[in-house]
Amino acid sequence: MALTTCKSMKETRGHNTIDSMFASRYVQCELPKFSMPDHETPKEAAYQIISDELMLDGNPRLNLASFVTTWMEPECDKLIMTALNKNYIDMDEYPITTELQDRCVNMVARLFNAPIEEGVQAVGAGTVGSSEAIMLAGLAFKRKWQNERKAAGLPWDKPNMVTGANVQVCWEKFARYFEVELREVKLKEHYYVMDPTEAVELCDENTICVCAILGSTYNGEFEDVELLNDLLEKKNAEKGWHIPIHVDAASGGFIAPFIYPDIVWDFRLPLVKSINVSGHKYGLVYAGIGWVVWRNKEDLPEELVFHVNYLGADQPTFTLNFSKGASQVIAQYYQLIRLGFAGYRSIMTNCAMNAKILTQAIESIGRFRILSKEVGVPVVAFSLIDSSDHDEYEISDGLRRYGWTVPAYTMAPNAQHITLLRVVVREDFSRSLADRLVTDIKRVLASLDARPSKLIEAVTVAVQRESEELHSPVARTPEEVKATAAFEAVVHPKKKKHHHSQSRGHGKKLHALHKSNGVC
């Protein structure tokens, strides 16, 4: 490989260029970050430069924030690589890929107990993920509601839908993008999913659907779809409405049928008209595949289905996206036939057991309360019992030192005062990894306990800053302003005169506290 040098030696090093030590064997000029380079880069150098930067990414296997699959069998990896250059939408050119997609739709619909006769094609579509699937399901509900309102001579310009405040952001996107009012059932203390009774109370004649979540993003809990169906059936009968239910089973759709078959949440309930599921979550496929299925053909308005022939034959399509890779569709079919019902049940049972063992281990530490449920998606959500000294964000940051990605976040309204940590137990999260995680959580807690509390740290910063400003006043950052305010609130509280002696006593105690912690 010939050594490539820059045409100009006037390029300067800085934040807007990329330099690689190893790539210098092949190239001796830096690459611009935000514009295309003027000349070609040797393939070895391009590979090494990108590879160097990617080393700073997290390890997907240790990314416990994500529900998305991070491991597949080598045989499936080979199929994916073979199909990387296939465009799924070219159905006439790749008829077998189209056939595999149709088989997946039928398998998923029947897994969810769709009332389909033998030999009849199920109604559904493969999507990039559950976000696209939800957009399509929402559009079908909106259009069907509008058609019914127009036929009855009623206003059809103010559609709304009802969800829990715990829905994934894609539902908010649908509502905003397609101009549908989103009515959210707020959460409650110790009740972190949608209350079916309150959901039905929010419905009116303009409600296009009620969305139930089978596996909350926050704590993995299943919502009570069966109770929602019963209450909504009664409300529809009283008011003469036809409000349906959509089940967002992005996370739980490949969990419940295998290990919780007695939970009735799917097409066995008459008001459930459509369901979405993420194949790239517990469907066990890499990111980029989702599914949406309808109860029957009447639930998908025909005018939403497009027919194109410029790819070689008449092709019906109902997607927001057009071109997409065929690899994930093929990978989903591989998993469905490779594992079968028994294989999926074995994997999901193991995930649930590992989640239970991890829950017990975290609980035994004695510092956390568990917010996830035993019945639900294999997720362990937990928060500190006492966060006055250190909080969940500090634990999350501390775990990154050991390679773990464990998110800290707040609950949805009206429970946003609760901060929690969440571990998603996937197929590739073994019990040995669970043991290691618990060990590292204990290490982080010990490290935090050895540090001053948040209050002492704030006072320390404020004291040091005030001392510096006596000699050299400079502008302060917002964080330093907050720290100083915390210091002032403790050391110089505004008290009434008859509390003066009490304030002085408090100041002495605080001074002693500073000395014992090395602050002063």
Side-chain angles (χ1 to χ4, degrees), residues 105 108 112 123-141 161 168 170-171 174 178 209 211 246-251 273-281 288-294 300 304 318-321 324:
V105 167
V108 171
F112 298 160
V123 181
T127 61
V128 175
S130 275
S131 291
E132 184 186 5
I134 284 166
M135 302 292 170
L136 298 177
L139 283 171
F141 283 122
M161 63 187 305
Q168 217 265 358
C170 57
W171 284 101
F174 167 77
F178 296 103
C209 75
C211 169
H246 175 85
V247 180
D248 180 355
S251 301
K273 302 299 182 181
S274 57
I275 300 171
N276 69 275
V277 65
S278 292
H280 59 223
K281 292 184 179 177
I289 187 68
W291 303 96
V292 57
V293 289
W294 283 268
L300 175 58
L304 292 179
F318 180 40
T319 58
L320 296 180
N321 200 59
K324 70 177 179 180

Side-chain angles (χ1 to χ4, degrees), residues 493-505:
K494 294 182 179 179
K495 299 286 187 177
K496 293 183 179 180
K497 290 184 177 179
H498 62 273
H499 287 158
H500 182 66
S501 59
Q502 182 181 350
S503 299
R504 290 177 60 187

Side-chain angles (χ1 to χ4, degrees), residues 467-485:
S467 177
E468 291 172 3
E469 287 183 346
L470 289 175
H471 300 90
S472 177
V474 293
R476 295 183 297 173
T477 66
E479 290 75 15
E480 291 169 339
V481 171
K482 291 179 181 178
T484 302

Side-chain angles (χ1 to χ4, degrees), residues 69-88:
T69 297
T70 53
W71 179 86
M72 298 186 75
E73 291 177 327
E75 290 77 10
C76 193
D77 288 344
K78 292 177 184 178
L79 287 173
I80 290 173
M81 293 304 296
T82 302
L84 275 179
N85 59 352
K86 283 187 179 181
N87 186 359
Y88 158 79

